[in-house]
Amino acid sequence: MSALIGLVVVIVLILFLDWCYKVYKRNKQLEKVPGPWPIPFFGYKLPTNIFDFKHMFDELIGKYGKTCKLYIGESLHIITCDANLIEQVMKSNVHIKRSKSYDMAKPWLKDGLIVSAGDKWKQRRKLCTPSFHFSVLKDFFTLFKRSSNTLIERLGEQADKGVEIDAREFISKFSFEVIAESSFGTRMNVQNDESLDYINAIDKYTKIVSTRAFSAWKRFDILFKLFSEDFKTHKSSLDVIDGMSKIIIQNKRDECENMNVDVGNVPEIKKNTSLINQLMHNAKLPDEGVQEETNNFLFAGYDTTTTALSFTLFELSKRLDVQEKLYEEIKSTVNNDYSKLTHENVYSMKYLDQVVKEMLRFRSPIPVIERILEEDLKLGDIIYPKGVTITMLLYWLHHHEDYYHDPEKFDPERFNSDNPQPPTFAYVPFSAGPRNCIGQKYALMELKTVLTRIIMEFVIEPVVGAKLELGLAMVLQSKYGFPIKIRKR
Ligand code: HEM
């Protein structure tokens, strides 16, 4: 017996020494990269809430410069807002694997497009791409316009009351309605509902996922299940989220059986291109496959645009000058008649384009993305070893003085083509390269259409004393919400 215990102790010791040697080798290889004490688990006191994550990265970048190394639990991260390093990762066909942080979202996103890797990712990307092709956007435009009309009615009621509102409360329902209808052929009419459990569930779930991703111990499923007070909320939110995608899929199956038709039968959308049709009919994925992609696209299409639009209204409330310039451009483009708004003239508005671009820089909806290096990556005289996680700080990239003059100023003029433009990889709110955002054109069209409509109808006014503190979950967060006031023009 004692011989057996002795053997186990020797094996554990050998494994431990082997691990220590690997840590030592990596640290040696990266000794030119600055950072806190490079010791797994104990090198740096990690924050525990999403608002302190923002402070943590501010502090790291302030202290060590654009790139540093940091252990999160046992995992070594290269934290960077260096456009050159980000370019090497983003444009590569090799470094397209997500990091372990994304595993925290797997109970929800499973192995869908956002998280998958290898051949599965390639097949799914190919399958979903036609549903977001430029030519399909014309069809979506009609839906964006229709849902914008309902949003205007809801905001109009608040304008009549003259009350302070949280922009996100209204925008989230709008965005959800739009993605459910455009990609899944499901008219939800949620803007007329008091509340939508799905929206609350996504909000809670994504915050928990992010807190786990930056925690040394909550990353481990077993420890999270046993010791975290968030586990119960995690589970109940997931039930609500899964419930919603199941409803969408079942509705579609019933519809097809009853009417003997293709799925995705919103009249404005060509049936063969809708996402749900691609998944269910063309690729004939089993229900689990359809559900994982439904969850992926409902999240990607809903939370990002909600965040972008909520920040846009909040920031514009402080900038009446920008609103007036936008209003003049829109008026002259559609001749004061919203029915004349086409998807072509949405594209033609230059100042609108500058405002949206600047918003996506100033309040980058996805502030951080990560990849694992699949092979060594050499940049200058540093070799970043295979297996490390590259944490790309898009928010900090977009706020770095090396790339932007006066970066804390919201200034749409910086994207006026007469002015010098930032280096290509210093502006990547949708990422870039083979794993960029599949919904980029869709998102831009949605943002521009609804913003045009809002600016035509209302002046957005600030709430006196409104505070802003930013936090990092899967999307950028605002601790005190998005308080604004709305006045009819
Ligand atoms: C303002 C809105 C949006 C922003 C800022 C945004 C940004 C991003 C970013 C930064 C990525 C990560 C890429 C990477 O890791 O390199 C991404 C991926 C993705 N986005 Fe978006 N996105 C937005 C809207 C949308 C919309 C509307 C959809 C769908 C309708 C969408 C679908 C996706 C999907 C499926 C992925 C994963 C792509 C892959 O891994 O192949 N996004 N997005």
Side-chain angles (χ1 to χ4, degrees):
M1 185 66 182
S2 59
L4 191 64
I5 295 174
L7 186 66
V8 171
V9 170
V10 170
I11 291 173
V12 170
L13 198 67
I14 291 173
L15 289 175
F16 179 69
L17 289 176
D18 180 58
W19 178 73
C20 291
Y21 177 67
K22 282 184 186 139
V23 169
Y24 166 79
K25 224 172 87 181
R26 274 192 175 174
N27 286 346
K28 187 88 190 131
Q29 202 169 353
L30 290 168
E31 68 187 348
K32 285 193 187 140
V33 181
W37 213 35
I39 302 294
F41 296 101
F42 302 107
Y44 186 81
K45 190 171 181 308
L46 291 163
T48 52
N49 78 65
I50 57 171
F51 298 98
D52 289 341
F53 295 152
K54 164 85 171 53
H55 300 149
M56 171 177 90
F57 289 128
D58 284 342
E59 188 186 291
L60 290 172
I61 297 298
K63 199 162 169 189
Y64 301 110
K66 288 202 285 254
T67 301
C68 68
K69 58 179 185 282
L70 173 77
Y71 273 96
I72 296 182
E74 87 300 357
S75 159
L76 180 56
H77 290 237
I78 299 297
I79 311 283
T80 186
C81 61
D82 178 348
N84 291 328
L85 181 51
I86 288 178
E87 172 173 3
Q88 295 310 312
V89 178
M90 281 186 180
K91 72 180 188 191
S92 155
N93 280 310
V94 177
H95 309 301
I96 52 171
K97 194 170 166 199
R98 301 285 188 208
S99 70
K100 278 191 186 155
S101 306
Y102 294 77
D103 289 354
M104 312 301 139
K106 279 205 165 173
W108 161 37
L109 302 176
K110 307 261 175 356
D111 205 19
L113 190 62
I114 296 177
V115 252
S116 59
D119 286 344
K120 179 160 182 190
W121 171 73
K122 274 191 201 138
Q123 283 162 10
R124 289 283 168 92
R125 179 92 192 187
K126 209 168 149 200
L127 176 68
C128 299
T129 297
S131 305
F132 295 91
H133 192 266
F134 192 72
S135 59
V136 187
L137 289 181
K138 235 184 178 163
D139 298 338
F140 291 157
F141 181 70
T142 321
L143 307 184
F144 296 162
K145 265 177 99 174
R146 191 170 57 220
S147 287
S148 299
N149 285 342
T150 317
L151 176 65
I152 295 304
E153 281 170 27
R154 297 288 82 83
L155 291 177
E157 290 158 10
Q158 304 305 313
D160 291 339
K161 290 185 206 156
V163 291
E164 169 190 327
I165 59 167
D166 187 328
R168 192 178 167 100
E169 210 182 290
F170 295 83
I171 298 298
S172 54
K173 290 181 183 173
F174 161 82
S175 300
F176 184 75
E177 188 173 285
V178 162
I179 187 72
E181 189 166 10
S182 59
S183 291
F184 301 100
T186 302
R187 270 197 196 159
M188 304 287 285
N189 203 16
V190 291
Q191 293 195 79
N192 295 321
D193 277 355
E194 274 301 298
S195 74
L196 186 63
D197 288 347
Y198 177 84
I199 287 174
N200 296 329
I202 287 272
D203 196 40
K204 286 184 198 152
Y205 195 89
T206 52
K207 282 180 182 146
I208 294 174
V209 165
S210 305
T211 318
R212 289 188 70 194
F214 290 114
S215 161
W217 66 272
K218 284 189 199 169
R219 304 184 123 216
F220 297 99
D221 284 346
I222 182 79
L223 298 180
F224 178 64
K225 273 182 199 161
L226 288 176
F227 302 114
S228 173
E229 74 248 16
D230 288 337
F231 179 65
K232 258 192 180 158
T233 319
H234 176 272
K235 194 170 171 327
S236 56
S237 309
L238 189 58
D239 290 344
V240 175
I241 296 170
D242 275 346
M244 175 58 81
S245 45
K246 278 184 187 143
I247 290 174
I248 289 181
I249 294 165
Q250 195 51 50
N251 281 351
K252 286 291 120 192
R253 293 253 186 254
D254 293 348
E255 213 171 74
C256 295
E257 266 170 34
N258 295 343
M259 298 161 66
N260 201 19
V261 291
D262 253 1
V263 285
N265 66 340
V266 169
E268 290 88 348
I269 306 280
K270 288 184 200 83
K271 288 181 187 115
N272 57 358
T273 49
S274 81
L275 182 67
I276 190 82
N277 195 56
Q278 283 289 95
L279 302 172
M280 284 170 96
H281 194 75
N282 292 350
K284 298 207 172 15
L285 294 185
D287 272 5
E288 308 85 74
V290 180
Q291 194 185 1
E292 69 186 2
E293 292 310 346
T294 306
N295 276 346
N296 276 253
F297 277 88
L298 279 181
F299 161 66
Y302 150 75
D303 217 6
T304 50
T305 49
T306 298
T307 304
L309 264 170
S310 305
F311 273 112
T312 303
L313 299 191
F314 180 70
E315 294 301 336
L316 285 183
S317 75
K318 298 180 246 170
R319 293 295 301 271
L320 290 180
D321 58 327
V322 175
Q323 289 188 53
E324 281 321 292
K325 208 168 162 186
L326 268 178
Y327 182 59
E328 290 309 318
E329 181 179 57
I330 297 165
K331 237 176 28 173
S332 68
T333 307
V334 298
N335 221 353
N336 229 357
D337 178 359
Y338 181 67
S339 64
K340 295 209 177 99
L341 190 72
T342 61
H343 95 294
E344 283 89 359
N345 57 29
V346 166
Y347 271 107
S348 73
M349 287 190 263
K350 288 209 170 92
Y351 191 64
L352 175 65
D353 188 55
Q354 286 171 220
V355 171
V356 170
K357 276 198 178 126
E358 173 65 347
M359 262 325 301
L360 296 173
R361 175 197 76 84
F362 193 56
R363 299 287 175 242
S364 319
I366 301 211
V368 179
I369 58 176
E370 290 189 338
R371 304 278 175 81
I372 288 185
L373 289 189
E374 292 275 67
E375 54 187 44
D376 288 358
L377 189 160
K378 186 171 185 315
L379 187 65
D381 57 353
I382 296 176
I383 297 174
Y384 297 95
K386 178 179 171 182
V388 298
T389 296
I390 306 287
T391 301
M392 293 176 271
L393 302 183
L394 304 189
Y395 182 91
W396 286 263
L397 171 76
H398 294 157
H399 285 251
H400 206 284
E401 283 180 344
D402 283 1
Y403 310 122
Y404 296 95
H405 172 67
D406 206 358
E408 296 310 323
K409 183 176 174 201
F410 174 72
D411 180 13
E413 284 311 314
R414 66 175 91 242
F415 288 107
N416 183 330
S417 54
D418 293 340
N419 293 329
Q421 296 301 294
T424 312
F425 281 84
Y427 183 74
V428 280
F430 294 101
S431 183
R435 197 136 202 192
N436 71 346
C437 173
I438 200 171
Q440 171 169 353
K441 293 191 182 84
Y442 172 107
L444 287 172
M445 172 66 84
E446 180 184 337
L447 295 178
K448 289 178 177 181
T449 308
V450 67
L451 192 55
T452 303
R453 187 75 173 101
I454 292 173
I455 295 291
M456 273 186 79
E457 299 289 332
F458 305 112
V459 176
I460 310 154
E461 295 180 329
V463 168
V464 182
K467 289 193 288 184
L468 176 70
E469 184 175 339
L470 298 174
L472 307 183
M474 290 171 86
V475 293
L476 193 67
Q477 303 284 321
S478 166
K479 189 170 187 174
Y480 305 106
F482 303 87
I484 55 167
K485 281 176 115 179
I486 298 277
R487 176 166 56 81
K488 285 184 176 160
R489 282 196 185 271

